[in-house]
Every structure is written in C-alpha cells, then in structure tokens.
Amino acid sequence: MNPEHTSRLASIVLATILAVGLVGTAFAGGAPASQPLGTAFPFNDVIRRAEYRGTLNRAVDLRFALWDAATAGNQVGSPQTASTKLTDNGNYSVVLDFGSAPFDGASHWLQIEVRSPAGKGTYQTLSTRRPLIPATLSLYAASAGDADTVDGLHASDLVGAPGPTGATGPQGPIGATGADGESGSNGSDGATGATGPTGATGPAGATGATGVMGATGAIGTTGTTGATGATGTTGATGATGPTGIMGATGAMGATGPTGATGVTGATGATGSVGPTGPVNVNADTIVSPGVTISTAWADLGLGGPTGATGPTGEPGFAPDLPGDAIGPTVTVTTGANALVTIQAFAVPDFAATAFVGFEVSGDTTLPPSDATALLFSNLDALATAPKWGVTASSSFLVALTPGSNTFTLKYKTTSGTALFANRGITVIPLP
C-alpha cells in the first residue's frame, strides 16, 4: 500500500472523529465505524443583563427555536424546551436535538425565550439570536455517505479485506463533570428599541380626606404706642368759595288803605250785541288741529292766525312767543351743577297727554326726559270744551360739563294736538 495514500486516509478518519466529538457523540469502545451518529449537541451560552429583565442565578425554563436568518426570516423545525440554572453571570449549558432534517449546510440561528422562575409566568424573548458554530453544522456530514475513492484510487486498493467484527466491549465509566469554563465577555449592547405607544390615562384617584385643622396660634402681645408726631405747619388759606344761592323773595307788604270812592258817572247807552266769534285758540300749537303727531320730542309748530274777538267771557291765553317754532331758550355759563325751573299752560286733545321738557346743548349734551318734564292730561270725556292746565317744576342737574350751556324747551303729545301758552324756563348756575 502506498504510504502517502495511507496517511491521507488516516487524516480523513481523524477529521471525522473530531467532528463527532464536537457534537457531544462518542463511539463506544470497539463500535463499528458504520454505527449512525446521534443528532443531539451541547449548547453553551451567556444571557446578558442588557437583554434580560429577570433575575440571574436561579432556575429557569428555556425555549429554543431554529431560524434561517439573524432577524426576521423563517422558523425551521419544531421548538425545543429545557430547564436549567443560570449562574451569577448568566452562563448556562443545555443539550438540544432538532434532528438532522433542518441542517442542510446553510447558516442557522437560535432564538431563545426565558421564563423565570421555572414553571411560572410567561416567556421573555431575548433581543439577539445566537448563530450556530460549525461543529453543530457538522451533523450535515453524517448524511454525506462514505467516500469510495481517494485521489482516484478505490478504497479496496488502499486497505485489506475487513476482519471479523469483534465483540462489543463494556461501556466505560462516565467521566467527572468538568469545571465551569470562564465567563465570556459581555457582548455589545443592542440598539435601543423604538419607544412604545403611550398607554391610556388611568382613572383619576379619589380625593383624599381633608386634614384636621391645626390649632389656632396664640395672639401676640400688643406693641407699645408710638410717640405723637410733631404738629405740621398750617396750610395755606383755601380759595374763596362760589357765591351762595339767592335767598327766597320776601313776603309782600301790607295792602295800603282803599282810596275814597269816586263819583258815579252817568250810565251810557247799551250797544247792540255783536255776533259770536269763533273759539279763541290764540296759542302755540305743535301741529295743525286734527293731525296726529309722533310721540318724539319736538319743537312747536308755528301758531295759527288770531281769531276774531268774541263776546266777553272766560279769557283766552295769548301766545308768549308768537310765530316762534323753537323755545323759549336760554344760554348761561354754568359749573358742574344747575337748578332748572320750567313752567307752561297747556291743553291737549281729549283722552291725550301732553309733555313740556327741556334739552341741554353746548358744552353739555342732555336729551329731553320724561322724568323732568311737565305733564298735562285731558281725560274728561264728558267735557264740551278744552280745559287748560298750568304747572311748573324744578330739576337739580349735576355732572354738567362746565362752560356755555343752552337750555331749550321741547314738546310732545301721546296723540292728536295740544295748545301751549305762557311758557318759561329759568336756569340758576350752582357751584
């Protein structure tokens, strides 16, 4: 036999034995070379604290799944479970058996899930899948078959005929468990995962009970009275105040004695009675008789013509401002306050009400107001002729704008027409 060929065959056999040793399978002494290899293999690993939230150095359940990629990819075969104890550094060792079918020569990774303590809770998946080392993948070599030739020479040219199979030797004793290997260095931390969605807001907690009120502190002592300050200097004399309101008119003096009665003159002849004249309407009117006006404040309309003189009877009232459509009016210089007195004779239509008020213009603007107006009512439905009314009132005005202010009488009726006479307005400025 060629020595070179014999050496090369021995190398092949040695490589096969080493591969079998890496997967945790040993030949029994004297076992034939054709005995099938097992598919189980030992797996040593370290669980890093950065990828596991549980407690190390305790019994745990492990679940292993075979995948064809480091991330995503597809699961190969069925998951395997094992129970073991982690060391303080997270080291552990188990034996796994996925069979030979998944190992087709391609790369594979183990996905690992941990449940702690053993037998309780849920599994937590580690963030990093573990790649399988070549010794594990050597299971594929068990299905490769026997080599028939070496460098073109048939195996029958290299070895003699096989001898008879010897009896199977007894199983050797189980060797002692080797000491734990040194812990491997921690791998680099994995990338931080994306932040999960914010959980729903929990319900508001119940309001706590009100605490007991603390005791009232003692009242402090009263401080001593400070010394009286020095008397300040006398202030300057104030300005002279405005002139006071004019006093009321004094009482009328006693009537003088009646003079002696004169001699009675002779009686004149009686003249004939003239025809009866029209009713005297010799006064200012708001509008022409018989026309209903707006209830807004307004100036008087122009007075009508004077009627013919009728027989002697109840006297009429002559207009105080013949032909004048505005007023009367008065302009005075006032301060912030003034006393305004208005007076008038008036007669409205039947079942109507007439008003006489005033407005202020100039430095101050105030519209007419029912509150300060004179009011005349003619509600006597049985009367056969208009009845005159006379009235006056005074109003104390405040908050005027000091300066030149004009006070003007204004008029209105609720319906129909009204006659007005002997109108007047007096303004007394006050300080």
Side-chain angles (χ1 to χ4, degrees):
M1 182 180 293
N2 189 326
E4 181 180 357
H5 292 169
T6 302
S7 173
R8 183 170 300 178
L9 179 60
S11 299
I12 294 172
V13 173
L14 177 60
T16 302
I17 294 173
L18 290 175
V20 172
L22 289 174
V23 298
T25 304
F27 290 108
S34 61
Q35 181 176 351
L37 294 173
T39 57
F41 60 92
F43 180 73
N44 300 318
D45 189 35
V46 178
I47 296 178
R48 299 189 302 273
R49 294 184 184 276
E51 62 179 351
Y52 177 60
R53 300 189 300 271
T55 303
L56 301 179
N57 191 22
R58 69 188 309 178
V60 297
D61 292 330
L62 301 172
R63 185 159 60 193
F64 302 87
L66 198 62
W67 290 75
D68 60 4
T71 58
N74 302 299
Q75 183 176 340
V76 181
S78 302
Q80 302 290 308
T81 58
S83 297
T84 186
K85 181 179 181 180
L86 303 179
T87 67
D88 290 339
N89 295 323
N91 294 306
Y92 68 94
S93 178
V94 295
V95 176
L96 303 177
D97 189 353
F98 292 94
S100 61
F103 300 103
D104 54 2
S107 298
H108 290 81
W109 286 262
L110 279 179
Q111 178 175 286
I112 304 171
E113 299 174 85
V114 183
R115 181 172 66 181
S116 174
K120 298 180 180 179
T122 58
Y123 283 93
Q124 175 188 337
T125 304
L126 302 185
S127 60
T128 305
R129 295 176 182 173
R130 277 39 171 184
L132 294 180
I133 60 176
T136 306
L137 297 178
S138 66
L139 290 172
Y140 177 65
S143 63
D146 297 328
D148 291 331
T149 61
V150 177
D151 285 346
L153 299 175
H154 197 273
S156 61
D157 298 329
L158 302 177
V159 297
T165 301
T168 301
Q171 180 174 340
I174 298 174
T177 302
D180 291 340
E182 295 182 359
S183 300
S185 59
N186 291 335
S188 59
D189 293 339
T192 303
T195 303
T198 303
T201 303
T207 303
T210 303
V212 178
M213 181 180 295
T216 303
I219 299 174
T221 57
T222 303
T224 58
T225 303
T228 303
T231 303
T233 58
T234 303
T237 302
T240 302
T243 303
I245 300 173
M246 181 182 295
T249 303
M252 183 179 294
T255 304
T258 303
T261 303
V263 177
T264 302
T267 301
T270 302
S272 61
V273 178
T276 303
V279 176
N280 185 2
V281 291
N282 199 19
D284 298 324
T285 60
I286 292 180
V287 292
S288 299
V291 180
T292 302
I293 68 166
S294 169
T295 58
W297 289 99
D299 295 316
L300 287 179
L302 295 178
T306 302
T309 302
T312 303
E314 181 180 353
F317 295 94
D320 49 341
L321 292 176
D324 190 357
I326 300 177
T329 182
V330 60
T331 300
V332 294
T333 300
T334 69
N337 307 307
L339 181 65
V340 180
T341 301
I342 59 176
Q343 63 184 31
F345 282 56
V347 56
D349 283 350
F350 292 125
T353 302
F355 298 84
V356 178
F358 64 90
E359 70 175 8
V360 183
S361 60
D363 289 330
T364 302
T365 300
L366 288 176
S369 170
D370 289 359
T372 58
L374 304 179
L375 183 148
F376 302 88
S377 294
N378 190 5
L379 304 179
D380 187 359
L382 299 178
T384 58
K387 293 184 178 181
W388 286 90
V390 59
T391 187
S393 71
S394 297
S395 301
F396 181 65
L397 302 184
V398 297
L400 297 173
T401 301
S404 178
N405 291 304
T406 299
F407 300 77
T408 304
L409 288 185
K410 294 288 182 176
Y411 310 87
K412 70 176 182 176
T413 65
T414 56
S415 64
T417 63
L419 302 176
F420 298 91
N422 296 343
R423 301 161 295 142
I425 181 169
T426 304
V427 178
I428 301 176
L430 300 176

